[in-house]
Amino acid sequence: MSSSRFHKLPPSKYSHKVLKESNVHEAAKYIKSKDCRNIIVMLGASVSTSAGIPDFRSPETGLYANLARLRLPYPEAVFEIDFFRKNPLPFYTLAQELYPGQFRPTITHSFLKLLFSHNLLYRCFTQNIDTLEIRAGVPAYKIIHAHGSFASQRCIDCGQPYDSEKMKDHIMRKEIAHCEKCRGLVKPDIVFFGENLPEEFIKAVPNVGLADLLIIIGTSLTVHPFASLAGMASPLCPRVLINLEKVGDLGRRPDDVLLLGKCDDMVRELARELGWDAELEKLWEETRMPRVEDDAAEEEKEESKAEEAPEESKKEKEKGVVKEKALEDKVDDLAEKIAKDMSLTEDAPTEPARTERPATIEVVQGEKLPDELVKQPACDKDEKEKL
């Protein structure tokens, strides 16, 4: 494969400290060296789009762009805790479409399992709530869900945990779950705007400084405090960005490597350089899901038809219009479902009293990390070895 696909960094007045050159070959060489033992990965929403899960901020196909058509004050309201208290139905309808078990992990998720299999994955910080990392075979203790996930649920007032099977049943039937203790509203442990981030995320933040390599995949690095993690790696820690475009300050350090393109394509290229491509494909094959594979076969059939279409259709296919249209239709259907459900709800439920739960350090979704958290030292090396 031509090296022209990889973004070339501008000349730097600083010499490389770890890598001889900023390219995929040197990155792979470093990963296989004795100096690289602890890899930290940061995952964003673009990692899951090839699994059929829309991201949030894409102008045409993102969830926010399509939810704007609904009778919401603004699309982000579906993930705001105050709005949820007044009307939880839109979120429950959305959750039914996004609930785990309906999507197959991508090749990028299997790459995480590959790193774990080689005893290289120290931690994976993910913005995603879909739990596809665990579905790909990565142990839960290696995953830090920065924005929570569907893996657990509790009352938003008293904090009482709620049974997973009951929660799934309520979401699938789009019936609002209430706490069995105080009758408060129940939702999955997904961080809404206006809520504190999970304690596990806060405690894990300093560990970024222990990384021998930081790999950032499929994120715009615009949502804080998650975006702040990229700048917390040691100056001597190489950083690899796998993304459609350059984001954040990636590319400013001598040992930054930018692999710009689709996540799955770039991950496959990195695996080939490592000599692990066959192993990666085998791990991904283990995640095969019959229903999902049927959908993929249908998509391949549609693409085959597009190849036989007139020149105009070919140009649309080259621009990705065919695939984006399919994703947009899926989100449109979701928007219609939510609009229909909301039309059945005339009165918003009375807002219950809220019981605040104390937190040692408050880190709120959408805000930067507080100085006392950024400056605290990482855990001891000996302690890390126990994890």
Side-chain angles (χ1 to χ4, degrees):
M1 182 174 293
S2 173
S3 60
S4 62
R5 293 187 60 189
F6 303 107
H7 186 81
K8 294 182 179 180
L9 300 180
S12 172
K13 63 180 179 179
Y14 302 104
S15 62
H16 291 288
K17 302 298 183 181
V18 177
L19 307 181
K20 291 182 178 180
E21 295 182 43
S22 294
N23 58 40
V24 66
H25 175 75
E26 286 298 321
K29 183 178 177 181
Y30 176 67
I31 290 174
K32 299 185 75 173
S33 74
K34 61 180 179 61
D35 295 320
C36 185
R37 297 192 305 157
N38 300 300
I39 296 177
I40 286 182
V41 180
M42 295 172 59
L43 291 187
S46 294
V47 170
S48 295
T49 55
S50 62
I53 302 176
D55 66 7
F56 292 95
R57 292 176 172 77
S58 291
E60 301 296 330
T61 60
L63 282 174
Y64 286 159
N66 288 275
L67 290 177
R69 307 173 190 173
L70 303 179
R71 291 184 299 162
L72 297 171
Y74 38 86
E76 292 86 351
V78 74
F79 287 114
E80 288 195 351
I81 190 63
D82 289 337
F83 183 82
F84 179 82
R85 288 177 177 278
K86 297 175 183 177
N87 187 2
L89 184 58
F91 171 76
Y92 268 72
T93 304
L94 179 63
Q96 184 192 55
E97 294 294 321
L98 300 179
Y99 205 79
Q102 307 176 74
F103 305 96
R104 178 188 178 185
T106 68
I107 198 76
T108 302
H109 291 108
S110 291
F111 182 70
L112 293 176
K113 175 61 182 299
L114 183 62
L115 291 177
F116 173 76
S117 299
H118 285 268
N119 199 30
L120 290 172
L121 182 65
Y122 180 40
R123 287 290 183 274
C124 172
F125 289 83
T126 179
Q127 291 178 289
N128 301 331
I129 60 177
D130 50 45
T131 69
L132 287 180
E133 304 88 2
I134 296 175
R135 171 75 176 78
V138 182
Y141 73 90
K142 289 289 185 180
I143 308 298
I144 305 296
H145 290 100
H147 298 162
S149 74
F150 281 104
S152 58
Q153 51 282 316
R154 68 191 68 248
C155 173
I156 65 173
D157 292 317
C158 71
Q160 177 75 13
Y162 194 79
D163 181 76
S164 294
E165 288 301 318
K166 291 181 179 179
M167 187 77 238
K168 180 179 180 180
D169 182 61
H170 276 81
I171 287 178
M172 290 301 134
R173 290 188 286 115
K174 288 181 286 189
E175 293 183 359
I176 312 305
H178 290 85
C179 177
E180 297 171 347
K181 180 179 179 181
C182 73
R183 301 304 298 167
L185 293 171
V186 175
K187 74 171 183 65
D189 286 334
I190 296 168
V191 180
F192 279 19
F193 293 107
E195 290 189 304
N196 291 334
L197 268 66
E199 186 177 353
E200 68 165 358
F201 171 77
I202 299 172
K203 289 182 176 180
V205 164
N207 292 331
V208 177
L210 294 176
D212 297 320
L213 176 66
L214 180 64
I215 303 179
I216 303 164
I217 312 178
T219 173
S220 62
L221 288 183
T222 57
V223 179
H224 288 276
F226 184 86
S228 304
L229 301 181
M232 296 181 65
S234 163
L236 295 181
C237 173
R239 301 184 303 178
V240 175
L241 173 68
I242 298 177
N243 205 43
L244 282 175
E245 59 186 6
K246 181 178 176 294
V247 295
D249 71 341
L250 274 298
R252 294 183 183 178
R253 296 187 183 183
D255 287 315
D256 284 350
V257 177
L258 307 188
L259 308 183
L260 303 186
K262 294 181 179 180
C263 296
D264 292 345
D265 292 344
M266 296 298 98
V267 162
R268 278 189 165 108
E269 178 64 15
L270 178 56
R272 277 192 289 269
E273 287 288 338
L274 288 164
W276 299 347
D277 47 332
E279 189 177 354
L280 175 62
E281 297 295 338
K282 181 180 179 182
L283 288 174
W284 189 48
E285 180 67 21
E286 293 174 359
T287 69
R288 183 182 291 275
M289 300 170 63
R291 186 183 68 82
V292 173
E293 292 307 304
D294 290 343
D295 293 342
E298 185 64 26
E299 182 178 342
E300 185 177 347
K301 183 178 179 181
E302 291 297 325
E303 290 181 353
S304 178
K305 290 180 180 179
E307 290 178 354
E308 301 173 357
E311 186 65 23
E312 183 176 349
S313 296
K314 291 183 179 181
K315 291 181 179 179
E316 287 186 343
K317 182 175 180 294
E318 292 174 354
K319 296 179 181 179
V321 173
V322 174
K323 187 173 182 180
E324 289 182 3
K325 183 64 169 59
L327 185 57
E328 185 176 354
D329 289 343
K330 183 175 181 179
V331 181
D332 285 344
D333 291 340
L334 171 59
E336 291 177 5
K337 285 185 180 180
I338 299 179
K340 181 179 179 181
D341 289 333
M342 291 185 67
S343 67
L344 301 177
T345 305
E346 296 294 335
D347 301 320
T350 304
E351 182 173 343
R354 183 179 181 182
T355 303
E356 297 289 345
R357 297 194 297 275
T360 304
I361 300 178
E362 291 190 353
V363 180
V364 179
Q365 170 74 301
E367 297 181 3
K368 292 186 177 182
L369 291 168
D371 291 339
E372 60 267 33
L373 183 58
V374 175
K375 293 179 180 179
Q376 66 176 291
C379 68
D380 184 80
K381 282 277 186 178
D382 293 335
E383 180 182 348
K384 182 181 70 173
E385 295 298 332
K386 297 178 182 178
L387 299 177

